[in-house]
Amino acid sequence: QLRLVESGGGLVQAGDSLTLSCAASGRTFGSYVMAWFRQPPGKEREFVATKSGGNTHYADSVKGRFTIPGDNAKDTMSLQMNSLKPDDTAVYYCAARYGVGLDARKERYGYWGQGTQVTVSS
């Protein structure tokens, strides 16, 4: 199985940037896809971004502000977040599933990290 550990959360001001990282360990020799989800206070967990091969897919709410860098180290995935807004406040989760392709459905992901808190003050 896969184990995922997120890092990089924190408290920032609106307009600031922050980079999250996710490191995978365990059964990483198969093909697997990683994604970012977030859960705002009092709301459902929602899709943020994912990458498979050379392709990426972003939620409309973060498109143009968040990026998954192309130079990730093996078994890691970062999320570069720019122009942060108070609405981006959430616990951010790294998720993974075996296979390939872009998929924004959280029920498709069987492996989850513990989450990292991102708080954006106005």
Side-chain angles (χ1 to χ4, degrees):
Q1 63 179 25
L2 289 168
R3 290 181 293 276
L4 306 172
V5 178
E6 306 97 335
S7 62
L11 171 63
V12 297
Q13 294 187 327
D16 284 352
S17 298
L18 199 62
T19 300
L20 305 181
S21 295
C22 178
S25 61
R27 191 173 172 265
T28 61
F29 49 85
S31 295
Y32 65 96
V33 174
M34 299 169 76
W36 288 99
F37 288 79
R38 68 185 181 184
Q39 188 163 13
K43 296 184 179 180
E44 296 287 320
R45 194 169 300 189
E46 63 186 25
F47 169 76
V48 175
T50 187
K51 181 177 182 179
S52 179
N55 300 310
T56 53
H57 175 50
Y58 299 95
D60 287 345
S61 59
V62 306
K63 206 171 290 185
R65 299 187 299 122
F66 291 12
T67 304
I68 296 175
D71 57 348
N72 290 288
K74 186 178 181 296
D75 300 327
T76 65
M77 186 170 73
S78 298
L79 182 68
Q80 174 66 43
M81 305 186 293
N82 298 323
S83 303
L84 283 161
K85 306 174 182 179
D87 284 348
D88 294 319
T89 294
V91 178
Y92 283 71
Y93 295 91
C94 179
R97 60 179 178 86
Y98 287 107
V100 295
L102 302 172
D103 201 319
R105 296 170 291 179
K106 58 181 180 290
E107 59 269 22
R108 295 296 306 274
Y109 292 82
Y111 302 96
W112 294 83
Q114 293 289 93
T116 185
Q117 177 71 46
V118 173
T119 303
V120 184
S121 64
S122 58

